[in-house]
Each structure stands twice: as structure tokens, then as C-alpha cells.
Amino acid sequence: SILKACGSIGAIEQGRLIHDQIIQCGIELDVVVGSTLVDMYAKCGSLEEAQEVFDKLPNPDVVSWGTLIAGYVLH
């Protein structure tokens, strides 16, 4: 996905723009989209934003927990 690509190359500004578009379009933050956003922010080094997205997930699952933990381990 485009968010994974942003995370891989550290393109946090583009990732933020996509996140803003998700919010503006009213797309509900489900565990798949949320985990991808957490991953992108964590890989870009913004653990605060990763944690904020994680905290808004209605039902974090094993994948979202693992993604957040991996981000903290990485940084």
C-alpha cells in the first residue's frame, strides 16, 4: 500500500497527507487501516503519532499490538 511505501522510505509528510485524506473522507479507522498507519508512523520515527493512532483503534488486535511494539523496539 502507499502507506507502507511511505514508511519504508521515511516519507512522513506524504503519510500525514494520506492520513488527513482518510479523516476528511470519513473513512472509519478500522484495525487494518489503523495498523498500517501505526506502522508508517513508527517506521518514520514518530512514535507519538503511532501511539495516538493506536489509542484511537476501537479493538486493537495482535497485529496492531505487534506493530506498535516493533516501532518502540526500532526506536
Side-chain angles (χ1 to χ4, degrees):
S1 78
I2 190 77
L3 288 170
K4 285 188 179 196
C6 289
S8 294
I9 63 171
I12 194 166
E13 290 303 319
Q14 288 78 10
R16 284 182 182 135
L17 290 173
I18 295 164
H19 188 184
D20 288 343
Q21 287 294 315
I22 291 169
I23 293 168
Q24 289 176 6
C25 291
I27 297 171
E28 189 169 330
L29 191 64
D30 64 15
V31 74
V32 174
V33 174
S35 293
T36 305
L37 285 166
V38 169
D39 183 60
M40 184 273 300
Y41 282 125
K43 285 181 177 174
C44 289
S46 182
L47 294 175
E48 184 176 317
E49 288 173 288
Q51 184 71 57
E52 286 175 13
V53 172
F54 180 85
D55 290 343
K56 291 178 183 175
L57 291 176
N59 296 308
D61 65 2
V62 173
V63 173
S64 52
W65 273 102
T67 301
L68 184 65
I69 292 167
Y72 278 106
V73 169
L74 183 63
H75 297 283

